[in-house]
Amino acid sequence: MDTIPYGLLTLQKQPVPLKDISVSVHVKGILADVTATLLYKNELQDPLEAVFVFPMDDEAAVYNFEALIDGKTITAEIKEKDIARQVYDDAISSGQQAFLLEEDVMSDVFSCTVGNLPPEKEAAVSISYVIQLSLEADQALRFVLPAVLNPRYTPADCPSKSVIGNIPRDNADDLTYMLHLSLKVEGAQEIQSIKSNCELTDIVYNANMKTSAQISLKEGHKFDIDVEILIYYQDPCLPYALVEKGKPEAAEGTIMSEPMVMLNMYPEMGSGEENTHQDFIFVVDRSGSMQSNVSRASQQSRIATAKDTLVLLLKSLRVGCLFNIYGFGNSFTSFFKSSVEYNQESMDSALEKLKNFEADLGGTEILKPLKDIFSKSVKTGYHRQVFLLTDGEVNNTANVIEEVKNHATTHRFFTLGIGEGASTSLIKGMAKASHGKYEFITGKDRMQKKVLKCLKLAYQPSATNISLEWKVPSAVEPLVVPRVPEVVFHQQRTVIYAQLKELENSDTEETQAVLKYSCGEKKYQCVLDFTLTAEDSDSQSIHYMAAKAIIKDGEGTSEGVVPKDDIDRITKISIESNVISPYTAYTAVHKDSKEPVRGPMVQQIIPLYNSTLFCGSPGENLREYNLDCSSRLYLREYNLDCSTRQYLREYNLDLKKVEETKQIPVRGKSSSKKKKGGCFPIKLPKLGSFRVSKKAESKKVKEDHQDDTKELEDEGLTETKILKEEAIIESKIQKEECQIEPKADKEKSQKGSKKGKEKSQTDSKKVKEKCLIAEPTNKEDQVMTLIGLQKADGSWIVDEVLAEIFNSTTQEILTSLPCEEAEPAVWSTLLSLIWLHTYGAKIKSDWELLASKAVSWLNTNAAGVDFGELIIVGNNFLKTEVKQSTLGL
């Protein structure tokens, strides 16, 4: 079962055996039961072994695997992983058709293998799993069918070997398989709407009831993006409990034999309580892959979005807290040696440093900055909150989670996965290991909205003394699996699973579950009333999710640290529940075949969509995946097409030889009779055709870059030094290009301007550059500019940029001040709040925290001022209609 080289299938254009994917999704409440059927056909002349590697949510409970051959369904058996592999290999050796499904070393990646598929024959495999739907910021339940599986960076000292590195990558036009998806939604609540990032058919409600509906993807969908479906219920945050019957044929005493209840609760902690004694550490991925766009629906790169988000985070902090900012790649940097107090000086310093924040640090080695953070003590009386923004493309996930878990008592992580293909195992694992919270930013999601949602949670005091009490019939014994939650957040969903032993011998009377917890000196409880009547259904979804929770709870986070007793316990639960684990796998053998399959078996790995590779500059992306220095520097000079770069990257070829021969060697037979010798020709531009600005003034930048590159090569610098010099060169190019202004535009600007206006524009430009905000082009951009002007204490002062946003002048703002008691800063701060509530309402989540800071500043610094009168005058000045109660004054 050795794998073939990456890229061979796509370059040779051999037939891809996967022909079709059909998915049916049944959503009930917050759970989705999914069955995916994959149809394979061998179009070669030899028996085939087809391998399909695919992403899956880290918390998905895979509970069934079947194969359909010659009209017969073969249900796979779950076994210990080594035994399952041996069964598969023995069947292949004896000429039988066999199937294998196993979890990769990263728990959010699976591989499905179809072995000994005869020529011109078809076979279909079905995989069934259950997943809990996430609750989005807009209260939608989100279902995701992942299609994108990004290559993941592997540090040199990481022992883990994943199948991901061997997957071929195709462009969307080259994928030969289509996706068909149907969705059925059922629940006790009315379904308001169903939306998706893909084209859907019209929604069909069943029997004139809006509590049940069906919808499908439109035909012709190529599986080149994650399919996201948002389901909007009338009241998505309604607490409820669901009781499920045990499995009659399950052995007594196993997890599947007893009834199971799922509690869906939303704890309250009292609004307005904030703990400002926090030490915030913002850790941002600066690897090459962060140069890619957030999604194909977005025109902004991940790193640019992260920078905008950091501005909002800095503006939303409170005076008195501590903060620091880290950037990481192959190496890491920090803005300050240790956390500094948040004030005007430190905020201005951070904003200035943020200007040079780019995706220019190579690979994704996250352990180094984490260990540096953990090595620094936390100030007495403060709590450290770590915010991680990353696209999650790492291969040493287990080691990272283990390190986080070891420091969970002093460091709480809020993790944000950016873009399609972010590792759910890493993002969820780090948050859960430290009792924090996670979010994913994909499609048209606004990163700022989700990050600031996490910041609100970070300000909340931590809940302690969490316990669960039951009021049930005396004969019933509730048993929480795997354990009572160790963390709860204000108005955030908390899901608890519990076995109900001896339920069959009891009355199904009213029952009560009470979640108790403390917050500071205050005590709270969340009460849920429900009945013990089990649903009349054969579904075992709740049991499968409970089993998966036990498996995840018992998994080790680093290789070799899981005691044998824990492995045995997980394996036992996995086999009893039929839910796959890291130590088990499914295998099926077609034993009824009349004749054994003869001939040498050819292996093919099914290509996935090539999503994020080479979305940035060639140098950035090559550094991301550890190419040698000569290859990186050479490709910076050559504008190679994507497929060529992709192939060169994998084989780490000597590109100087490629230039001489004008050919690239290909392993295996050529796909064209005219191309002999295992090579395909490419056209290389002449040396020195490095891509720079088309402006005439940029010629010097290009020549300087070439001279610098030549000096590096002549001096024989090490790879580390070259990496640093490359970053300096790139920064130099970007800065010099930004300073170039077309001559015609410059003359036109000078001709039509007046001296007074020139000074105003110059001052305005200086302020905007300091605020790190681009020239505003619409109201949303103006909101970001206004946010950039806010001071660390929460106030705004009168200046030219503020006046421009208000479509006024500084003199007009000052003369409109209605009372002498109010200082100019009070007036400008109040006007800014009124303007935000009027023109920034659509992105209120971006500025809600900093507006709260501004209100606190006003209440402290404007004692005795009649806000009612000021607001009336402010509305007249800005031509708005904002009420005093809306502002919170």
Side-chain angles (χ1 to χ4, degrees):
M1 294 178 61
D2 294 334
T3 55
I4 59 176
Y6 177 111
L8 182 60
L9 294 180
T10 56
L11 289 172
Q12 294 290 339
K13 299 298 180 184
Q14 293 182 7
V16 178
L18 181 59
K19 294 300 178 185
D20 191 78
I21 303 177
S22 296
V23 179
S24 65
V25 185
H26 185 189
V27 174
K28 195 164 189 178
I30 64 170
L31 298 183
D33 198 326
V34 185
T35 297
T37 301
L38 288 67
L39 177 65
Y40 295 86
K41 183 177 181 180
N42 183 6
E43 296 178 343
L44 302 178
Q45 299 303 312
D46 296 310
L48 176 71
E49 180 181 62
V51 182
F52 184 48
V53 180
F54 56 96
M56 187 173 290
D57 193 283
D58 177 62
E59 295 178 331
V62 179
Y63 66 86
N64 192 50
F65 181 48
E66 294 180 344
L68 180 64
I69 310 170
D70 298 330
K72 181 179 179 180
T73 299
I74 306 171
T75 301
E77 296 181 21
I78 193 167
K79 301 177 180 292
E80 292 183 36
K81 185 170 283 188
D82 290 341
I83 296 175
R85 288 173 174 172
Q86 188 62 50
V87 169
Y88 175 86
D89 289 339
D90 290 347
I92 296 300
S93 299
S94 48
Q96 295 176 309
Q97 291 174 254
F99 306 84
L100 182 69
L101 179 69
E102 55 186 329
E103 189 177 295
D104 190 36
V105 292
M106 291 177 288
S107 58
D108 58 349
V109 179
F110 282 74
S111 61
C112 174
T113 307
V114 178
N116 268 342
L117 183 60
E120 300 302 321
K121 287 287 186 180
E122 290 186 346
V125 296
S126 292
I127 303 164
S128 298
Y129 65 92
V130 182
I131 184 67
Q132 181 178 300
L133 304 183
S134 61
L135 185 64
E136 296 295 283
D138 63 353
Q139 305 303 306
L141 287 177
R142 178 173 176 257
F143 168 77
V144 179
L145 186 68
V148 177
L149 181 56
N150 292 331
R152 296 180 183 175
Y153 178 86
T154 304
D157 59 351
C158 178
S160 298
K161 292 184 178 181
S162 171
V163 297
I164 290 180
N166 297 313
I167 308 172
R169 306 278 164 169
D170 267 359
N171 294 323
D173 293 339
D174 297 326
L175 293 178
T176 61
Y177 48 89
M178 294 289 183
L179 172 67
H180 309 276
L181 183 145
S182 62
L183 173 73
K184 182 179 181 180
V185 183
E186 289 184 319
Q189 296 187 55
E190 180 180 310
I191 302 165
Q192 292 188 327
S193 64
I194 299 176
K195 300 178 182 180
S196 176
N197 63 329
C198 304
E199 286 191 87
L200 298 174
T201 60
D202 293 335
I203 187 169
V204 177
Y205 292 101
N206 297 342
N208 297 321
M209 295 286 290
K210 285 198 170 185
T211 57
S212 179
Q214 292 182 329
I215 202 167
S216 302
L217 279 183
K218 286 190 175 180
E219 290 298 316
H221 177 81
K222 284 194 174 182
F223 203 12
D224 59 342
I225 61 172
D226 291 355
V227 177
E228 299 181 52
I229 298 178
L230 301 176
I231 303 168
Y232 293 85
Y233 287 117
Q234 188 174 21
D235 188 359
C237 297
L238 184 68
Y240 72 91
L242 195 61
V243 179
E244 187 176 80
K245 297 178 182 177
K247 199 172 184 178
E249 62 270 26
E252 187 176 350
T254 64
I255 188 172
M256 302 300 291
S257 63
E258 304 284 356
M260 188 80 66
V261 63
M262 178 181 70
L263 306 178
N264 191 27
M265 312 177 83
Y266 295 85
E268 298 275 351
M269 292 187 191
S271 58
E273 294 188 18
E274 288 186 354
N275 181 3
T276 57
H277 282 68
Q278 308 283 4
D279 180 1
F280 291 104
I281 310 290
F282 304 112
V283 185
V284 182
D285 190 342
R286 289 178 58 184
S287 63
S289 57
M290 286 289 286
Q291 190 61 40
S292 305
N293 289 349
V294 175
S295 70
R296 270 154 282 173
S298 171
Q299 298 301 313
Q300 191 174 36
S301 69
R302 298 172 184 178
I303 190 66
T305 305
K307 289 170 68 173
D308 286 349
T309 303
L310 282 172
V311 173
L312 290 175
L313 285 167
L314 287 172
K315 294 294 182 177
S316 299
L317 297 181
R318 296 298 181 97
V319 173
C321 72
L322 308 175
F323 81 101
N324 201 353
I325 298 176
Y326 280 73
F328 71 93
N330 282 329
S331 59
F332 71 89
T333 61
S334 63
F335 282 14
F336 310 103
K337 289 183 178 180
S338 59
S339 297
V340 297
E341 184 176 349
Y342 178 74
N343 52 38
Q344 190 63 45
E345 181 181 356
S346 61
M347 185 189 76
D348 287 344
S349 174
L351 290 173
E352 184 64 30
K353 295 174 188 290
L354 195 56
K355 293 179 182 179
N356 298 319
F357 225 52
E358 300 297 340
D360 55 4
L361 293 183
T364 313
E365 297 194 25
I366 191 174
L367 268 177
K368 293 178 182 178
L370 292 186
K371 288 181 177 180
D372 186 73
I373 292 168
F374 295 147
S375 69
K376 296 174 180 177
S377 60
V378 182
K379 185 177 180 179
T380 303
Y382 281 71
H383 304 276
R384 182 165 287 169
Q385 317 281 1
V386 184
F387 281 66
L388 173 67
L389 284 71
T390 178
D391 55 17
E393 298 173 9
V394 299
N395 211 10
N396 60 336
T397 297
N399 306 83
V400 174
I401 294 175
E402 178 71 10
E403 193 72 23
V404 169
K405 188 175 182 180
N406 291 338
H407 296 85
T409 56
T410 54
H411 296 72
R412 182 165 64 168
F413 277 75
F414 294 84
T415 53
L416 295 108
I418 306 169
E420 296 173 333
S423 169
T424 60
S425 180
L426 176 74
I427 301 302
K428 291 185 176 183
M430 292 180 68
K432 290 188 174 184
S434 62
H435 313 310
K437 199 76 174 174
Y438 61 84
E439 292 283 351
F440 290 92
I441 296 99
T442 59
K444 295 182 180 179
D445 290 344
R446 285 182 55 80
M447 184 188 298
Q448 295 88 338
K449 185 175 185 177
K450 294 193 173 184
V451 173
L452 291 168
K453 172 186 174 183
C454 288
L455 184 60
K456 290 179 186 178
L457 297 176
Y459 274 126
Q460 293 178 10
S462 300
T464 57
N465 303 320
I466 303 171
S467 63
L468 185 65
E469 295 182 0
W470 301 84
K471 294 181 181 179
V472 295
S474 57
V476 177
E477 181 185 351
L479 177 63
V480 176
V481 292
R483 66 181 75 246
V484 174
E486 296 179 331
V487 59
V488 295
F489 290 98
H490 176 62
Q491 292 182 340
Q492 299 296 302
R493 185 174 66 195
T494 300
V495 179
I496 302 171
Y497 299 98
Q499 280 184 300
L500 299 173
K501 296 187 175 183
E502 304 298 330
L503 178 61
E504 290 83 357
N505 304 322
S506 305
D507 296 330
T508 57
E509 58 188 63
E510 286 287 333
T511 306
Q512 192 176 81
V514 183
L515 185 66
K516 295 186 175 183
Y517 46 95
S518 301
C519 194
E521 297 181 356
K522 294 184 179 180
K523 294 183 179 181
Y524 298 91
Q525 64 179 29
C526 181
V527 180
L528 180 58
D529 296 308
F530 62 99
T531 65
L532 291 174
T533 305
E535 281 206 325
D536 186 16
S537 171
D538 294 330
S539 172
Q540 299 291 307
S541 297
I542 295 176
H543 283 77
Y544 295 139
M545 289 301 297
K548 182 67 175 182
I550 296 173
I551 291 169
K552 292 295 295 180
D553 185 67
E555 287 178 11
T557 49
S558 288
E559 293 187 4
V561 302
V562 186
K564 186 178 183 303
D565 289 346
D566 288 350
I567 294 176
D568 291 343
R569 183 172 63 86
I570 292 172
T571 302
K572 180 176 179 292
I573 291 291
S574 176
I575 293 174
E576 285 179 358
S577 63
N578 216 50
V579 173
I580 202 168
S581 76
Y583 313 113
T584 54
Y586 289 105
T587 185
V589 179
H590 184 25
K591 299 179 180 179
D592 296 339
S593 180
K594 296 179 180 179
E595 293 184 4
V597 179
R598 302 185 186 279
M601 186 172 65
V602 178
Q603 186 190 63
Q604 288 190 336
I605 303 178
I606 313 302
L608 292 176
Y609 173 67
N610 185 14
S611 61
T612 60
L613 291 179
F614 307 105
C615 293
S617 68
E620 289 162 347
N621 287 283
L622 290 163
R623 286 198 302 273
E624 171 80 6
Y625 296 101
N626 278 342
L627 274 195
D628 64 87
C629 296
S630 61
S631 299
R632 283 196 303 271
L633 289 172
Y634 188 83
L635 279 190
R636 290 172 56 87
E637 300 291 336
Y638 285 81
N639 188 13
L640 299 180
D641 64 83
C642 180
S643 62
T644 303
R645 290 198 306 268
Q646 179 177 331
Y647 190 80
L648 295 177
R649 179 188 64 76
E650 172 63 20
Y651 288 106
N652 205 15
L653 298 177
D654 185 340
L655 302 178
K656 301 278 184 177
K657 293 181 181 178
V658 172
E659 181 197 8
E660 295 172 2
T661 62
K662 300 298 185 291
Q663 289 186 328
I664 296 176
V666 178
R667 302 182 186 182
K669 297 180 180 179
S670 173
S671 60
S672 171
K673 294 181 180 180
K674 296 181 180 179
K675 300 172 187 175
K676 297 181 180 180
C679 296
F680 68 90
I682 60 169
K683 293 182 179 180
L684 294 177
K686 294 180 180 179
L687 188 64
S689 59
F690 180 76
R691 286 183 293 172
V692 294
S693 171
K694 294 181 180 179
K695 301 181 181 71
E697 290 88 343
S698 66
K699 182 177 180 181
K700 184 178 182 300
V701 179
K702 177 183 68 176
E703 293 172 348
D704 289 346
H705 167 73
Q706 293 169 349
D707 292 339
D708 290 341
T709 302
K710 187 176 186 304
E711 287 177 12
L712 291 175
E713 293 175 338
D714 291 342
E715 292 172 9
L717 295 178
T718 63
E719 179 171 355
T720 302
K721 290 181 179 179
I722 290 179
L723 282 171
K724 292 180 180 178
E725 292 296 335
E726 280 185 323
I728 294 171
I729 293 169
E730 288 178 1
S731 176
K732 180 180 178 182
I733 292 171
Q734 292 169 358
K735 288 181 179 178
E736 293 194 30
E737 286 185 346
C738 289
Q739 292 171 359
I740 297 170
E741 183 180 353
K743 188 175 181 180
D745 292 345
K746 187 175 181 180
E747 290 176 352
K748 183 178 179 181
S749 174
Q750 292 175 344
K751 186 176 180 181
S753 61
K754 295 181 180 180
K755 289 184 179 181
K757 191 173 183 180
E758 282 178 354
K759 184 179 184 304
S760 176
Q761 290 174 341
T762 301
D763 294 341
S764 175
K765 183 179 178 182
K766 288 180 180 179
V767 177
K768 288 175 185 174
E769 287 177 349
K770 187 175 181 180
C771 296
L772 200 70
I773 299 297
E775 198 75 35
T777 58
N778 53 42
K779 287 299 181 185
E780 189 170 310
D781 289 341
Q782 286 185 318
V783 170
M784 291 299 297
T785 303
L786 184 61
I787 289 171
L789 295 173
Q790 189 186 36
K791 300 299 180 182
D793 60 8
S795 65
W796 278 269
I797 62 173
V798 179
D799 61 29
E800 295 291 343
V801 182
L802 189 71
E804 185 179 335
I805 293 172
F806 294 163
N807 196 25
S808 181
T809 65
T810 55
Q811 188 63 31
E812 288 174 347
I813 294 175
L814 293 173
T815 55
S816 65
L817 183 60
C819 58
E820 295 182 356
E821 293 83 2
E823 296 289 334
V826 171
W827 181 229
S828 56
T829 300
L830 185 62
L831 289 175
S832 297
L833 286 174
I834 294 173
W835 191 95
L836 279 174
H837 278 278
T838 302
Y839 299 108
K842 290 184 178 180
I843 53 172
K844 185 178 179 180
S845 57
D846 287 15
W847 49 265
E848 196 171 11
L849 282 174
L850 60 90
S852 173
K853 183 166 69 170
V855 170
S856 297
W857 183 87
L858 284 172
N859 286 329
T860 302
N861 292 274
V865 173
D866 184 355
F867 286 122
E869 180 186 351
L870 285 181
I871 292 170
I872 291 173
V873 178
N875 277 322
N876 291 332
F877 181 78
L878 295 174
K879 298 179 176 59
T880 55
E881 295 180 357
V882 177
K883 297 180 180 179
Q884 183 173 350
S885 58
T886 302
L887 298 178
L889 291 169

